[in-house]
Amino acid sequence: EPEVTQTPSHQVTQMGQEVILRCVPISNHLYFYWYRQILGQKVEFLVSFYNNEISEKSEIFDDQFSVERPDGSNFTLKIRSTKLEDSAMYFCASSEEYPGSSYNEQFFGPGTRLTVL
Amino acid sequence: DQQVKQNSPSLSVQEGRISILNCDYTNSMFDYFLWYKKYPAEGPTFLISISSIKDKNEDGRFTVFLNKSAKHLSLHIVPSQPGDSAVYFCAASANNAGNMLTFGGGTRLMVKP
């Protein structure tokens, strides 16, 4: 069964450093998403991406964050200068677009645990 | 942000019995609702969804009920199995909001053999 994959599974970085989290969405999916879950808190939406541009972003997704689809398979989240409060599980998700459908189910990857020291 | 709430942090049921997980929402613009199951160190796994034009959707042992007037949905699992033990999240989306999901805080279900 197709699945979303993410690398690395765990990333440790020093405060102020740049990190890039990588995702390979399900191959025929057209919508891509990043979410995060800080320990003990809810899963929070960061950004959605469609047709090579951001379609929605939350207040969390400030200028320190960026997303990119550098090739036909990868979808990346970059944090330019990490802060302690960026420590969280980051989940990538993807969904297939049905013409005329109001919504599609999002399928999540296993997550990347980011630890900022 | 309390647009989606799961008021029970945990639920314990006996194997073979029914598990009922509840979720409330406040945003009347939500038009699609989903339930996800999550094991530790894994991503959320999609279980079942329901559109706001329906009041019930069934898939095997899982049934989701939607009460729009009460802004309440529930997930029924019957019969419950020990492998169902996990954290269950409800999530909601609005068609005019780029399909972003708003999650509840989760309910930890423990099914005892």
Side-chain angles (χ1 to χ4, degrees):
Chain A
E1 186 173 329
E3 58 184 18
V4 177
T5 59
Q6 291 185 242
T7 54
S9 57
H10 191 185
Q11 175 90 45
V12 181
T13 189
Q14 294 289 325
M15 188 171 56
Q17 294 295 305
E18 174 183 287
V19 294
I20 297 176
L21 310 183
R22 291 183 167 80
C23 168
V24 179
I26 295 172
S27 63
N28 64 333
H29 285 187
L30 299 176
Y31 275 95
F32 313 116
Y33 313 83
W34 283 101
Y35 291 81
R36 78 173 186 190
Q37 185 179 28
I38 295 171
L39 188 63
Q41 298 186 22
K42 291 184 177 185
V43 176
E44 302 172 289
F45 169 80
L46 293 178
V47 66
S48 60
F49 190 86
Y50 171 71
N51 200 25
N52 281 320
E53 59 183 26
I54 291 173
S55 53
E56 290 287 337
K57 60 182 181 179
S58 71
E59 292 175 353
I60 303 167
F61 195 87
D62 61 22
D63 292 343
Q64 293 299 313
F65 291 88
S66 63
V67 289
E68 192 179 26
R69 187 150 164 83
D71 54 42
S73 61
N74 289 285
F75 179 51
T76 62
L77 174 69
K78 182 192 291 186
I79 309 175
R80 267 181 265 283
S81 177
T82 50
K83 302 188 281 286
L84 295 177
E85 53 265 37
D86 293 328
S87 294
M89 281 291 289
Y90 287 80
F91 295 106
C92 173
S94 68
S95 65
E96 182 179 359
E97 182 187 34
Y98 294 99
S101 171
S102 63
Y103 187 74
N104 297 281
E105 291 82 13
Q106 295 180 21
F107 294 88
F108 284 74
T112 292
R113 178 170 299 282
L114 176 65
T115 302
V116 182
L117 303 176
Chain B
D1 179 3
Q2 294 291 319
Q3 293 190 73
V4 179
K5 285 186 71 173
Q6 293 175 256
N7 289 317
S8 299
S10 64
L11 174 68
S12 181
V13 300
Q14 206 67 35
E15 181 179 7
R17 306 295 289 268
I18 185 170
S19 296
I20 300 176
L21 299 109
N22 294 302
C23 179
D24 297 292
Y25 63 96
T26 57
N27 187 345
S28 57
M29 297 301 294
F30 287 146
D31 58 2
Y32 206 87
F33 304 90
L34 308 90
W35 284 95
Y36 285 85
K37 176 168 119 173
K38 187 179 180 302
Y39 294 115
E42 293 185 12
T45 301
F46 170 74
L47 273 179
I48 192 169
S49 60
I50 188 167
S51 164
S52 60
I53 62 173
K54 295 185 175 181
D55 55 19
K56 177 182 173 181
N57 188 26
E58 190 172 352
D59 183 2
R61 296 186 298 114
F62 302 92
T63 303
V64 56
F65 295 92
L66 175 63
N67 182 335
K68 287 192 295 291
S69 61
K71 293 192 175 67
H72 177 84
L73 64 155
S74 61
L75 174 68
H76 292 209
I77 307 173
V78 56
S80 302
Q81 299 172 354
D84 295 329
S85 298
V87 178
Y88 288 77
F89 293 94
C90 69
S93 73
N95 190 35
N96 65 349
N99 292 342
M100 59 175 279
L101 291 178
T102 301
F103 280 84
T107 296
R108 181 177 303 279
L109 174 65
M110 293 162 283
V111 181
K112 298 178 181 177

